[in-house]
Amino acid sequence: MPADVSNAFDVAFFFADTALAENEYLQPQKLQGLLFLSQAYYSVAFKGRKLMPAVFVADERGPLEPNVYMAFSSGRPDIDADLFLPHEVEGFLESIWRRFGQMPTEKLMTMSKETMAFKRAKKRGNRAE
């Protein structure tokens, strides 16, 4: 199934820019939690549609999209990104931010680790999809 956004970086930049606009520091780990929950909630809200073409892997810290994690590990990467998301997607991401954006990183990651998808992957080992 095709994704509604062309890449995971567009979604990551949305959250990074939203945090910046609210004078909030967005830790790389918190960004990962937001990406993971966005993908999961989007699938539920839109009957199995995929938000972004991303692969999350099980890590000790929680679910990670390894490419985005590496790119953002030292701050905002300097890459071309389409900062104009479809209206439906932007509204959805705004609701994710309102619900989870103010949550402490540890709590967000605990929530992510409690999902069945993460638990199943973690049973298979680190870096399992």
Side-chain angles (χ1 to χ4, degrees):
M1 172 174 285
D4 288 349
V5 174
S6 64
N7 63 77
F9 286 97
D10 291 342
V11 177
F13 280 123
F14 172 86
F15 287 126
D17 291 347
T18 301
L20 185 63
E22 295 184 11
N23 290 324
E24 187 166 322
Y25 171 66
L26 184 60
Q27 296 174 343
Q29 194 63 36
K30 184 171 184 175
L31 174 60
Q32 292 298 310
L34 291 168
L35 292 172
F36 179 74
L37 291 174
S38 294
Q39 185 84 308
Y41 276 77
Y42 196 84
S43 180
V44 170
F46 296 99
K47 299 182 172 92
R49 283 177 28 204
K50 196 170 190 177
L51 172 61
M52 59 192 149
V55 175
F56 290 90
V57 297
D59 184 85
E60 290 299 322
R61 297 162 286 192
L64 294 178
E65 202 298 326
N67 300 306
V68 173
Y69 185 77
M70 287 297 293
F72 276 83
S73 64
S74 296
R76 185 185 178 99
D78 185 20
I79 60 172
D80 273 342
D82 182 9
L83 300 178
F84 301 99
L85 298 169
H87 181 70
E88 179 180 76
V89 170
E90 190 169 331
F92 171 81
L93 293 175
E94 287 170 354
S95 72
I96 292 291
W97 179 260
R98 282 191 307 273
R99 184 169 181 185
F100 300 111
Q102 307 307 315
M103 197 175 282
T105 302
E106 297 76 29
K107 184 171 181 175
L108 191 64
M109 296 317 296
T110 298
M111 280 181 56
S112 298
K113 287 179 177 181
E114 290 174 356
T115 64
M116 277 312 242
F118 178 79
K119 288 179 181 181
R120 282 189 213 128
K122 191 68 180 141
K123 271 187 180 178
R124 293 191 312 273
N126 273 340
R127 293 180 305 282
E129 293 180 18

